[in-house]
Amino acid sequence: MVHSETTTGILNDIQSVGKVVRDAGRSFIVDAMSSFGGVDIPVAEWGIDFLVSSANKCIQGVPGFSFIICRRDKLLASEGKARSLSLDLLDQWKGMEKDGKWRFTSPTHVVLAFSKALDELMEEGGIPARSRRYQENNRMLIEKMKAMGFAPYIEGSHQGPIITTFFYPAGVSFQFSQFYNYIKERGYAIYPGKLTEMDTFRIGNIGEIYPEDIEKLTGIIAAFLKERKEQAA
Ligand SMILES: *Cc1c(COP(=O)(O)O)cnc(C)c1O
């Protein structure tokens, strides 16, 4: 199951699903790519057997490898089942236990960046502090966007703190590419393109982003709307 669902921004209830999976005696694999590090996940308590994440999302490292936090007994039970040489997790784990090495060329720069990113996460106050920052940025973003007439696509109770989908504003001649470029020229990048059938766009808030960035971004968006309205008049 995907935890933070990046096409819409939903934060799925993996705790409830984990309970069902455990009661059924099945394995629970969670794609926590865009939540781990930014949302607290009590892995063992929620019955997660395999949690998959990567260096380049809420840990704030650079792209280059993923990691899996898992139950050792389940990992050992996967012996001989891998259908891919390079993605044979058990084989990789055994290799690392033996000599600490990647089986193929190591992503050296990425590992160094990851180590630095973990130091920075600790300096920030760990996952609880990062989670608060992301939540606050996200809350502020939604509040300011709503005030300008952008309604969120996802109901508040399912909205996660990582990425938010908004409807195009009503009553404004709105062209996404123009909107995107206007923001980019002024120093911020939002997700390029829409993913739902509806007229929506997305704004992500993973990374070194602070309330002043949300202020600036929403200020740029307000200026864009003002210009569009003036041109239409
Ligand atoms: C980003 C993301 C992925 C893919 O991660 P890559 O680093 O691009 O391989 C997969 N699942 C989710 C939910 C994501 O957010």
Side-chain angles (χ1 to χ4, degrees):
M1 183 178 203
V2 179
H3 188 206
S4 167
E5 203 282 308
T6 9
T7 51
T8 57
I10 291 175
L11 191 69
N12 281 314
D13 182 2
I14 53 171
Q15 184 178 9
S16 301
V17 175
K19 193 174 178 310
V20 174
V21 174
R22 182 155 47 181
D23 290 349
R26 301 296 174 132
S27 291
F28 192 32
I29 303 176
V30 173
D31 170 347
M33 289 297 277
S34 61
S35 58
F36 186 78
V39 178
D40 188 38
I41 309 173
V43 178
E45 205 180 298
W46 288 2
I48 300 169
D49 297 304
F50 296 85
L51 177 142
V52 184
S53 194
S54 89
N56 55 289
K57 297 269 176 89
C58 302
I59 301 290
Q60 299 188 179
V62 300
F65 70 86
S66 72
F67 54 86
I68 291 102
I69 296 169
C70 66
R71 277 180 49 171
R72 191 174 298 203
D73 57 342
K74 295 239 172 168
L75 177 62
L76 289 170
S78 73
E79 175 103 59
K81 288 186 189 156
R83 283 172 292 180
S84 143
L85 176 68
S86 64
L87 299 179
D88 187 334
L89 184 63
L90 179 60
D91 198 43
Q92 178 57 79
W93 178 72
K94 282 181 177 166
M96 281 188 160
E97 288 291 289
K98 196 166 89 217
D99 56 17
K101 293 204 170 99
W102 257 264
R103 291 168 303 159
F104 308 111
T105 309
S106 325
T108 48
H109 313 51
V110 185
V111 175
L112 187 63
F114 189 69
S115 172
K116 181 69 189 159
L118 288 179
D119 292 344
E120 291 179 1
L121 176 60
M122 285 304 126
E123 278 162 26
E124 184 171 355
I127 292 174
R130 181 156 297 174
S131 172
R132 276 195 302 278
R133 175 164 64 84
Y134 282 10
Q135 279 180 46
E136 175 56 16
N137 286 342
N138 186 256
R139 189 199 58 74
M140 214 177 133
L141 174 72
I142 292 173
E143 181 189 291
K144 291 185 175 293
M145 291 296 281
K146 270 187 180 166
M148 288 187 279
F150 293 93
Y153 181 61
I154 300 300
E155 211 183 281
S157 59
H158 298 297
Q159 174 65 53
I162 301 299
I163 180 167
T164 311
T165 306
F166 294 99
F167 284 108
Y168 288 6
V172 186
S173 75
F174 191 88
Q175 252 199 327
F176 180 76
S177 59
Q178 210 177 23
F179 181 65
Y180 176 84
N181 288 325
Y182 187 93
I183 295 170
K184 197 168 180 191
E185 280 160 14
R186 287 158 183 78
Y188 288 92
I190 66 169
Y191 270 78
K194 62 180 193 126
L195 275 180
T196 61
E197 303 262 290
M198 312 294 289
D199 277 340
T200 60
F201 63 90
R202 300 175 297 157
I203 300 182
N205 59 269
I206 285 179
E208 280 298 285
I209 294 168
Y210 295 90
E212 67 241 42
D213 295 298
I214 306 294
E215 286 286 356
K216 281 187 197 154
L217 172 70
T218 50
I220 294 164
I221 293 173
F224 175 83
L225 288 183
K226 189 160 172 275
E227 282 182 27
R228 299 306 309 148
K229 282 178 186 153
E230 278 165 10
Q231 275 166 21

